[in-house]
């Protein structure tokens, strides 16, 4: 009788442990644990930086509009086009440093154009692991870009300004490709642009929002997602932590629902991606 009871207890404990482990895995990708780092009302926890250092101008470039960040809200419909003047290039930065986390946010394009639009079209981005907040920063960029002349989306591209990541790509090193689909390790890329997976669903000039996610685990790996799909991945980052910055560059853009889920230790890549 005692043996039967003992075996029953062991079975119950085993089931509980299995369920517990299963739930832990699910929670890595669940909504549980996300915290809004932009409150939609003021700039608590953030600071601005423009290329020309003009703090008054920065308050015009970055506006809060109906709980969203509205870049270039209080600026002319076109500014400095073709002049080479890029005074309003800048970022709004977190005051806090982050290392292991998921950053999630949404963006959509507006209509105003400015600065070097003729060269880069609809262009903005998010820098993370920033270790020098100059304009442009030393950190890793999740590029946000749309080339209307070719109807080509570049959101999710890597740009490594003063940093490097190990990249997986097609054999000709043109675009990201998962290893399970034939992607190969093409080595460490520094101060370069690494193109995201093409032909992913996106919203451009239709007044619709895009959902972006950056999963980064210290210097181990970074995963870029767009509208739920993995579009880029790098490993062996040269930086381990830093502040996060959202860009103002060539066009009017809106950001909303900026939130972060932090982790106390590195979560294995296999929890987020099937290699």
């Amino acid at each position: 009788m005692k043996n039967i009871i003992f075996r029953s207890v062991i079975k119950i404990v085993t089931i509980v442990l299995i369920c517990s482990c299963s739930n832990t895995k699910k929670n890595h990708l669940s909504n549980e644990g996300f915290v809004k780092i932009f409150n939609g009302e003021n700039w608590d926890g953030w600071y601005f930086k423009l290329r020309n250092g003009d703090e008054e101008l920065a308050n015009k470039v970055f506006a809060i509009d109906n709980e969203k960040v509205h870049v270039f809200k209080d600026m002319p419909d076109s500014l400095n086009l073709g002049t080479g003047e890029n005074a309003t290039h800048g970022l709004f930065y977190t005051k806090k440093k982050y290392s292991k986390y998921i950053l999630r946010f949404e963006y959509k394009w507006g209509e105003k154009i400015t600065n070097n639009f003729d060269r880069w079209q609809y262009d903005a981005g998010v820098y993370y692991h920033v270790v020098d907040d100059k304009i442009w920063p030393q950190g890793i960029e999740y590029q946000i870009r749309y080339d209307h002349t070719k109807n080509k989306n570049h959101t999710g591209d890597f740009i490594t300004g003063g940093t490097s990541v190990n990249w997986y790509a097609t054999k000709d090193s043109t675009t990201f490709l998962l290893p399970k689909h034939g992607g190969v390790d093409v080595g460490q890329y520094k101060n370069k642009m690494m193109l995201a997976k093409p032909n992913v669903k996106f919203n451009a000039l239709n007044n619709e929002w895009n959902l972006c996610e950056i999963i980064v685990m210290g210097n181990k790996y970074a995963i870029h997602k767009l509208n739920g799909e993995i579009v880029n991945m790098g490993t062996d980052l040269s930086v381990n932590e830093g502040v996060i910055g959202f860009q103002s560059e060539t066009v009017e853009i809106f950001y909303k629902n900026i939130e972060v889920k932090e982790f106390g230790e590195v979560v294995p890549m296999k929890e987020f991606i099937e290699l």
Side-chain angles (χ1 to χ4, degrees):
M1 184 66 178
K2 288 182 179 179
N3 287 337
I4 294 173
I5 295 173
F6 179 75
R7 286 196 296 269
S8 298
V9 169
I10 291 297
K11 286 181 180 179
I12 293 171
V13 171
T14 301
I15 292 170
V16 169
L17 288 174
I18 291 172
C19 291
S20 177
C21 290
S22 176
N23 289 336
T24 300
K25 289 182 180 179
K26 290 179 181 178
N27 285 342
H28 292 151
L29 288 170
S30 74
N31 290 326
E32 183 181 355
F34 276 96
V35 175
K36 286 191 175 183
I37 57 174
F38 171 64
N39 63 26
E41 298 178 359
N42 55 51
W43 292 106
D44 286 353
W46 299 84
Y47 68 97
F48 307 137
K49 196 163 189 178
L50 292 185
R51 184 179 294 278
N52 70 352
D54 188 332
E55 294 183 8
E56 184 176 347
L57 180 60
N59 280 289
K60 293 181 179 179
V61 170
F62 302 115
I64 297 175
D65 182 7
N66 194 26
E67 299 188 347
K68 300 180 289 291
V69 178
H70 186 167
V71 178
F72 297 134
K73 175 180 183 290
D74 298 317
M75 306 298 289
D77 288 348
S78 62
L79 176 71
N80 295 330
L81 295 175
T83 66
E85 297 292 328
N86 300 311
T88 56
H89 279 176
L91 299 98
F92 60 99
Y93 283 111
T94 62
K95 293 179 180 178
K96 178 180 174 179
K97 293 180 180 179
Y98 296 88
S99 179
K100 296 176 282 293
Y101 58 93
I102 303 174
L103 171 67
R104 190 163 67 185
F105 65 93
E106 295 174 67
Y107 81 90
K108 71 174 181 178
W109 299 114
E111 297 179 353
K112 298 180 181 182
I113 58 177
T114 186
N115 298 325
N116 48 338
F117 177 83
D118 56 336
R119 182 180 179 188
W120 294 109
Q121 303 86 41
Y122 293 81
D123 196 356
V126 176
Y127 276 85
Y128 57 97
H129 279 13
V130 173
V131 293
D132 184 345
D133 67 357
K134 63 185 179 181
I135 309 301
W136 296 118
Q138 184 175 339
I140 301 172
E141 182 179 1
Y142 177 107
Q143 172 80 297
I144 298 173
R145 182 172 168 240
Y146 171 63
D147 182 352
H148 64 291
T149 67
K150 300 175 182 176
N151 190 30
K152 189 172 182 180
N153 194 49
H154 287 275
T155 296
D157 290 357
F158 274 109
I159 298 181
T160 49
T163 61
S164 64
V165 303
N166 210 71
W167 194 41
Y168 290 82
T170 52
K171 291 182 180 179
D172 60 2
S173 302
T174 54
T175 60
F176 166 73
L177 186 64
L178 275 170
K180 72 173 184 177
H181 294 148
V184 296
D185 182 345
V186 294
Q188 202 79 1
Y189 274 54
K190 183 175 182 179
N191 295 328
K192 291 185 178 181
M193 179 184 297
M194 294 96 88
L195 299 182
K197 177 183 176 181
N199 304 318
V200 174
K201 180 182 177 182
F202 67 94
N203 294 303
L205 308 183
N206 56 1
N207 201 36
E208 297 292 331
W209 294 90
N210 293 281
L211 174 64
C212 303
E213 295 168 272
I214 301 169
I215 303 170
V216 56
M217 291 292 152
N219 60 5
K220 300 301 183 183
Y221 66 85
I223 297 168
H224 292 181
K225 297 178 71 175
L226 174 62
N227 295 321
E229 189 166 349
I230 293 170
V231 295
N232 226 333
M233 180 188 78
T235 61
D236 302 305
L237 285 58
S238 64
V239 280
N240 184 58
E241 66 172 9
V243 299
I244 299 169
F246 288 74
Q247 278 185 313
S248 62
E249 193 165 353
T250 64
V251 290
E252 180 181 27
I253 189 171
F254 300 82
Y255 300 106
K256 71 174 183 178
N257 296 330
I258 303 171
E259 52 189 13
V260 165
K261 180 176 184 176
E262 293 188 83
F263 298 91
E265 57 186 24
V266 172
V267 177
M269 186 187 292
K270 64 182 180 179
E271 299 292 338
F272 301 110
I273 192 169
E274 186 180 344
L275 297 173

